[in-house]
Structures are given as structure tokens and as C-alpha cells.
Amino acid sequence: MTAAMDISVTRVERSKLQDLDMENLPFGKYFTDHMLEADFENGEWKNIEIKPYQPLLLSPSVAALHYGQAIFEGIKAYKDREGHPFIFRPQDNHKRFNISAERMQMPAVPEELFVEGMRRLISLDQAWIPMKNDFSLYIRPFMFSSDELIGVRPSDTYKFMIILSPSGPYYAAPMRIYVEEKYVRAVPGGVGYAKAAGNYGAAMYATAEAKKKGYDQVLWMDAFEHKYVQECGTMNVFFIIGNTAITPGLEQGTILGGVTRNSVITLLNEMGVTVEERDLSIDEIVAAYKAGEHMEVFGTGTAATISPIKELGYKDMSMTFDLDKWKIAPAIKKTITDIREGRQADTHGWMYKI
Ligand code: COI
């Protein structure tokens, strides 16, 4: 792809923005006026278009619907106090997107198409970026195989798209989490580290079972012993025990290398909190809880941002955490929100100007 990427732009005749109540936005329900669409054919990306948000016309035999060659990303755009739009770490999501693509035997998407395409799309729809606390423009890039063939093989053709959703918080309240010992999300050698659509579809049954028991989400454990913490439904997980932050490491390839996870590790280090990326067993968590150690438990993710976990259900035990005593998680949440919304200096170069 060349520096002068050719994107054809067709604008809507009438914006839908005035029909939207920007003060009351659920997560991921409303979409902006435009979307980006590109096709991979004969070994190259072409037909790059920004056009009015609209349904796709697809053949019922399109490969992604049958065999799940589909990946996605989640990124957010914000406005600073002066109303200038920024995207949070899009290059990092681009890198992870191509890691997912490789694992799912799909073509890489060039940075220019991913980041510059996103920048141009958002610049067109920037009036849709909410400026309310905890609200943002959620960016959903995705790719799926588009061959019309029911043979099981990688497609020759793919579609890459970006859609935008002005959104409120994903989890509005502190969460109750069920420690899942029966169903598993990922195994070493599997696709746990990829943001593959099927990972989320495969998680729904266990999540629904946990919801029936009154929980919001599951905490996935390792596939062999159901003993070591992996990640929560839609987010990475951190345990502060005493003054140490512990989060599972990435080396086994069973959890998603979250961009928010990485940002939180950086900020914890800067706050002087020791961060350990390592195996963390449920026995260690139970022992710390029973010993009355100071504990803060939270999830991190683009959609989830920093989501406090107020209860962990494990076997017949309920571990509850007193959020009023937490210091570290609220400080991290404040810092990352202040950086994203322009109230604190971006010393890491995380905010990409639109
Ligand atoms: C994200 O945090 O962006 C995610 O993709 C999680 C979920 C909404 C699927």
C-alpha cells in the first residue's frame, strides 16, 4: 500500500446524529453515519471506501458464516477538553489485529489501511464522539473471509471493515464474577491470544450459566487443572494483594494481550506498585482473602476500561471486596481516564491525534 492510499468517500445526505440522545447511550447499540469497507482480492487490498453505514449484501455461502474465519478489534476515540479528537493506541490494536489474522490464516491488514482509514472515518464522524465522563466513540475494526464456498479452506477473498459506535460504559456497576471450573476458554496451542470472533461465541454458554446463578461474568481458569486464573469474559484481570499487582502472563498464549492491560501495567509501575505477570492460583487468592490481606480485583479492557469486581464466587464460597477501601484501582482508573480525556499529560504517546 502506498503513502497516498486511495479512499473513495461518499457522504450521507442527512446525518442521523440529531436523532440520538448523546446523554443516554448504551454500549454498542448506535452507529455513526459512515463506515469503512475494503476488499482483499488477488493478494491485495482494494475498493477502499468510506460510505454511509448500511447493511451488507452477502451470499448465504459466504465462508465466515460457516467456519468462523473472523477477527475483530475494540478501540476508543475521545475528545480532550478543547474538543480535539484522539484515538487511544490504535497502532497497538493494529499489531494485535495482524497477530489474530496470522493465527486465523487471514491476510495482514496494512497499518495505513487500519490506522489512516480509521483516522479518516472518524474525522468525518467526529461530531459523534461523546464528551461525557466514561463515554467514548467505540471503534470496531473487523475482518471476515468472504469466499462463496462451503469447502473447508482459507478464503481467497476477505472483507475488512470499520464501524463506529458512540457508547456509554460497558459495565456500569461493580461486578459479581463466577470462578468457572467446568468450561474452558483456551488451551496452549489454541486461539486464546487471538481476538477471534469464535472465542466470544464459545464463551456464551458458560456465561449464561453463570448469569443464571446471579453472576455478571465468569473468571476463566486454565484448561487442565482449573486452578490458575486466565481472564474474565470480556477483559483481562488484575489482583492487587497487599501492595503487589498480579496478572496472568501472556507466554502460554491462552489470554488476550490487552492494550488496556499493558497501559495499566505501565501506570502501576509508575505509581510504584510492584507488578507480577505470572501464574496466579485460586488457592493463593483464597488464602490471601482468608488472611484478611488488602485485595483489589478488577478487569481491564477497551470496552470495560477498569471494571471493579466486588465479588468472586468460588465453589460454595463468596469472596466479597470492600470497594470503599480501595486505593490503587481507583487511582489507575482516574489516571487512565484523565489521559484519555486530556486532563493529564500523555507522556507515553498513547493518544493518536485525528
Ligand atoms: C473490547 O474490550 O473492545 C472488546 O472487544 C470486548 C467485548 C466488547 C467483545
Side-chain angles (χ1 to χ4, degrees):
M1 196 142 295
T2 63
M5 183 177 54
D6 199 11
I7 305 185
S8 89
V9 179
T10 312
R11 289 167 180 256
V12 289
E13 280 170 16
R14 175 190 170 275
S15 172
K16 300 172 293 187
L17 182 56
Q18 62 258 40
D19 307 336
L20 194 67
D21 176 4
M22 288 287 270
E23 291 296 307
N24 292 300
L25 292 170
F27 178 87
K29 183 165 162 48
Y30 300 108
F31 298 93
T32 65
D33 286 329
H34 300 93
M35 65 185 193
L36 181 142
E37 189 174 335
D39 294 310
F40 186 81
E41 285 168 12
N42 301 321
E44 58 177 334
W45 286 100
K46 51 175 72 157
N47 310 332
I48 306 168
E49 278 183 278
I50 289 175
K51 59 187 189 186
Y53 181 91
Q54 59 193 273
L56 299 173
L57 189 62
L58 293 174
S59 159
S61 63
V62 79
L65 295 178
H66 299 267
Y67 307 120
Q69 242 192 327
I71 61 170
F72 70 97
E73 272 301 326
I75 310 174
K76 278 179 173 171
Y78 302 84
K79 277 184 179 160
D80 68 11
R81 280 168 304 175
E82 285 79 45
H84 301 126
F86 290 86
I87 313 174
F88 189 74
R89 303 187 70 173
Q91 291 91 346
D92 295 278
N93 290 86
H94 169 252
K95 283 190 197 112
R96 186 173 68 184
F97 192 76
N98 280 344
I99 290 170
S100 303
E102 183 182 23
R103 180 64 182 83
M104 296 301 290
Q105 192 57 38
M106 300 168 90
V109 170
E111 179 171 325
E112 196 185 9
L113 172 54
F114 191 98
V115 178
E116 175 60 12
M118 181 182 302
R119 194 191 66 73
R120 286 210 224 163
L121 176 64
I122 298 176
S123 120
L124 199 59
D125 281 345
Q126 60 178 278
W128 292 76
I129 304 176
M131 279 186 76
K132 193 171 159 174
N133 197 24
D134 274 344
F135 284 45
S136 60
L137 184 71
Y138 185 80
I139 307 163
R140 172 51 61 87
F142 60 104
M143 170 166 54
F144 59 91
S145 55
S146 53
D147 276 9
E148 297 176 12
L149 178 87
I150 320 190
V152 181
R153 61 151 179 75
S155 253
D156 292 325
T157 62
Y158 294 84
K159 220 174 239 312
F160 171 69
M161 301 191 65
I162 306 177
I163 55 175
L164 308 172
S165 175
S167 292
Y170 194 79
Y171 298 117
M175 302 170 77
R176 300 183 65 225
I177 300 284
Y178 179 71
V179 178
E180 179 58 66
E181 292 185 282
K182 179 174 178 191
Y183 304 107
V184 298
R185 174 182 176 276
V187 289
V191 295
Y193 67 89
K195 211 161 171 64
N199 283 345
Y200 295 80
M204 286 183 190
Y205 184 79
T207 309
E209 293 289 296
K211 285 194 172 157
K212 279 190 214 154
K213 297 186 184 95
Y215 294 93
D216 300 305
Q217 267 295 344
V218 296
L219 175 61
W220 297 108
M221 308 303 281
D222 75 282
F224 301 120
E225 296 178 75
H226 306 298
K227 191 171 160 185
Y228 295 99
V229 170
Q230 302 271 284
E231 65 181 61
C232 272
T234 55
M235 49 195 195
N236 294 119
V237 68
F238 283 75
F239 286 79
I240 312 270
I241 303 181
N243 194 37
T244 303
I246 308 161
T247 193
L250 304 177
E251 58 287 334
Q252 285 167 8
T254 51
I255 66 171
L256 199 70
V259 175
T260 310
R261 173 188 181 277
N262 177 275
S263 310
V264 166
I265 290 174
T266 303
L267 297 176
L268 284 167
N269 279 321
E270 287 174 4
M271 276 171 67
V273 178
T274 307
V275 183
E276 296 176 0
E277 292 179 70
R278 63 161 169 90
D279 290 349
L280 173 63
S281 74
I282 189 70
D283 298 343
E284 184 178 343
I285 294 166
V286 170
Y289 183 77
K290 285 191 175 158
E293 293 226 43
H294 174 74
M295 289 178 80
E296 302 181 25
V297 189
F298 57 94
T300 65
T302 298
T305 59
I306 313 285
S307 289
I309 294 171
K310 67 174 181 186
E311 182 182 342
L312 275 184
Y314 173 56
K315 297 193 192 289
D316 53 3
M317 194 183 169
S318 158
M319 291 180 264
T320 54
F321 307 103
D322 184 358
L323 271 66
D324 290 339
K325 298 209 171 87
W326 291 15
K327 298 247 163 6
I328 297 171
I332 289 289
K333 166 134 196 192
K334 181 172 184 319
T335 306
I336 204 161
T337 310
D338 284 352
I339 295 171
R340 285 171 165 171
E341 294 172 8
R343 286 182 297 273
Q344 184 163 324
D346 169 29
T347 54
H348 307 94
W350 288 342
M351 303 306 290
Y352 178 83
K353 201 162 193 293
I354 293 178

